Amino acid sequence: MGIEDTNRREMLIGMGAGLVALKTGTASAQADPARKLGYAIVGLGSYATRQIMPQFANCKHSRLVALVSGTPEKLARYGAEYGIPARNRYSYASFDTIRDNPEIDIVYVVLPNSLHAEYVVRAAQAGKHVMCEKPMATSVAEARTMIGACRKAKRLLMIGYRSRFEPYNRLAIELARSGHVGPTRIITAEHGFDAKPGQWRLDRPLSGGGSLMDIGIYSLNAARYLAGEEPVQVSAIESTDRTDPRFRTVEDRIDFMLRFPSGVIANCVSSYSSNHNGYRVIGTKGYIDMEPATPYEGQRMMIRKDGQTTPRVLASTGPNQFVGQLDHLSECVKTGRTPIVPGEEGLADMRVIEAIYRAAREGRTVTLDAA
Amino acid sequence: MGIEDTNRREMLIGMGAGLVALKTGTASAQADPARKLGYAIVGLGSYATRQIMPQFANCKHSRLVALVSGTPEKLARYGAEYGIPARNRYSYASFDTIRDNPEIDIVYVVLPNSLHAEYVVRAAQAGKHVMCEKPMATSVAEARTMIGACRKAKRLLMIGYRSRFEPYNRLAIELARSGHVGPTRIITAEHGFDAKPGQWRLDRPLSGGGSLMDIGIYSLNAARYLAGEEPVQVSAIESTDRTDPRFRTVEDRIDFMLRFPSGVIANCVSSYSSNHNGYRVIGTKGYIDMEPATPYEGQRMMIRKDGQTTPRVLASTGPNQFVGQLDHLSECVKTGRTPIVPGEEGLADMRVIEAIYRAAREGRTVTLDAA
């Protein structure tokens, strides 16, 4: 089974029950399949400017056409760097006038978490398709509002789960689900970094939460995409030193376990005070190790099978995860397909995130209905 | 700080509040410090015959002098192999007459778990010091009875936690507790193997439980010895396919999380349907990996620090873990010291094991009093 097959299968899995295929292609997009769709980037922080914006140069179906920022100096600096004309530079006050700009097909929201919902809804109401960074929102309720707004506007919504476009993660999904090391029994995943003080991510009104929202979500999302099903039991333990000035309003460590309908258990780590990034899919015949698993680059896969541990190296990896992600949404807009990581995928994570926080807070195993 | 220093510190840590230094040396043991103390092995299963008995040849302070088994053929075979005279071969019926045998200083109980309590108590009542395999017992109540019986008889009780005598595990403890990779934030530990049908370990009346009692206890014990403190919160999720004939009476997978008073969280895996053996101590500056961590031999340590991952290889490892364990109890008997893994250490694990089962069964985080 090739990655393309996996892709199609994942896409089907990704399509939630309530999701209908939308006729979403704009007239201009459908008229010329070779046309690169125009992205507006909302929020010019370091992730947008250092990771995403440089990647448009490598895209086949996407180009950077507009910038949105509250800081005029940033608009001037990045506008000049990327050749964005003044008419395509927006403030948050003028943001809604993007509806009058046919060059913009897709709005990519890269704002602090608590602003995602507002800008996704406004983008959809302006008639644009939307890419939204993870975590999709700060609550299930917000996520539902965002999905509803995009559906009402007949516009696509995709969440920035870049690992789903990263070749080694795609291979891991394929190997895990095809039973390469036997049926999966246990998944372990750990993600953490040493949070630097003074960032919006440590300010609950902006972030909506601590390490879980920001980095632990990679452990959660990986557990879900590697298992290929939705958890039905969630247990969690939090550990935060509230005397650490970084953790006045958000949690540091919150580890959690998920039980899936097939019986797979995932043991997951989330930390704002230690550096690690990896997961392991343990089957009856061995395991698949990815470490690091979800960085911007440098993934490494090792496979333990038949008593031997060997590296697995892809001969050709194709476009990187950032390019893959940007072009995937453009292609979906052109073809009317549903993204493999639609709003429903972000909602699924938010649903478990709320359960993790509740499990930790109430000291009990939270049961979720089968999704 | 050398391993010897660690040893002394661990010994102090290992000495519970209620534990008093006992004058335990037998007259003969104290009379001649060069004398090798005599062990009787109770239960001639594969662990006893393949792993433990061959190691006496390498011991400085211990020798094999007696065998106890319900199978006359085993007594004959191993008696001949190890030169054990007929007078030192016992059945379970004649076991209590060991009290009249001055060659036997120590009884090593290697029976199925549910028989540990009975034979430890009978050994103590026969005036012998006792080594007991892990898990110490099938309940906290049994463990307390065993400790009480040995204390009353003024005999030492040690649990067969061989990893505490394994050089890489001792180094890991030293590195973790001395902050080699910064203060510990998170510990992960995973232990499992694919249980073969038809063994006593799968029969609850003999084993007292499933993977947790047998192999998951290595994850638990490692979390405790690496953290150097006792957990105060326990959460757990079990996953067992009851249609698998192996798991009619015992659990397959039971994963658990522990929260320690310092804030360290341990994420632990226990499995009877997947093969893995490792732990990781994650500090603020990196992590210490041990994989495999607790096999009979072949431990491998990797250290991640300052952005680099490097193997750590001991130039000289001294006696192996089996020899170290056997001779440690002999030396303790000679000197009146308390073993670094006394009955109280086994009780501490049993206490958490009961909490893990309760947490899984009741779907709640169980709080333990600070030990």
Side-chain angles (χ1 to χ4, degrees), chain B residues 173-303:
Chain B
I173 292 171
E174 182 179 320
L175 295 175
R177 296 197 194 167
S178 66
H180 183 69
V181 291
T184 303
R185 311 298 289 170
I186 291 162
I187 295 166
T188 63
E190 49 181 280
H191 284 83
F193 66 88
D194 198 32
K196 297 289 169 285
Q199 300 180 298
W200 65 258
R201 67 186 76 242
L202 298 175
D203 184 12
R204 179 176 293 271
L206 288 173
S207 63
S211 73
L212 177 58
M213 283 279 185
D214 189 27
I215 186 71
I217 192 174
Y218 286 96
S219 291
L220 165 60
N221 197 246
R224 289 180 49 253
Y225 62 67
L226 294 165
E229 47 183 349
E230 295 301 324
V232 288
Q233 277 192 314
V234 178
S235 138
I237 286 186
E238 188 203 320
S239 183
T240 304
D241 176 1
R242 294 292 176 187
T243 67
D244 185 325
R246 297 176 298 174
F247 305 131
R248 284 201 195 99
T249 66
V250 299
E251 82 277 1
D252 169 13
R253 284 157 288 171
I254 184 162
D255 291 1
F256 52 98
M257 297 188 293
L258 311 173
R259 188 179 181 283
F260 293 91
S262 67
V264 168
I265 302 180
N267 261 34
C268 300
V269 169
S270 173
S271 171
Y272 258 169
S273 60
S274 48
N275 289 291
H276 37 135
N277 182 316
Y279 59 67
R280 173 176 285 188
V281 181
I282 302 156
T284 56
K285 298 177 184 170
Y287 45 80
I288 301 159
D289 265 343
M290 277 275 282
E291 185 164 33
T294 64
Y296 299 153
E297 58 184 352
Q299 274 76 357
R300 281 167 31 122
M301 180 184 285
M302 303 287 288
I303 295 181

Side-chain angles (χ1 to χ4, degrees), chain A residues 136-212:
Chain A
M136 177 178 183
T138 61
S139 68
V140 165
E142 279 185 353
R144 291 216 166 101
T145 299
M146 296 156 80
I147 291 169
C150 292
R151 191 175 294 164
K152 188 177 173 195
K154 293 190 163 46
R155 290 297 172 265
L156 291 181
L157 172 58
M158 172 169 155
I159 311 303
Y161 288 113
R162 58 181 167 73
S163 295
R164 291 291 289 277
F165 302 92
E166 192 283 315
Y168 282 94
N169 279 274
R170 290 167 67 174
L171 177 60
I173 293 171
E174 183 179 320
L175 295 175
R177 297 197 195 168
S178 65
H180 183 68
V181 290
T184 302
R185 310 299 289 172
I186 291 162
I187 295 166
T188 63
E190 48 180 280
H191 284 82
F193 65 88
D194 198 33
K196 297 289 169 288
Q199 300 179 297
W200 65 258
R201 66 185 76 241
L202 297 176
D203 185 12
R204 178 175 292 272
L206 288 172
S207 62
S211 73
L212 178 58

Side-chain angles (χ1 to χ4, degrees), chain A residues 235 239 253 263 280 291 363 365, chain B residues 185 235 239 263 280 291 363 365:
Chain A
S235 136
S239 182
R253 283 156 288 170
R280 173 176 286 189
E291 186 164 32
T365 301
Chain B
R185 311 298 289 170
S235 138
S239 183
R280 173 176 285 188
E291 185 164 33
T365 301

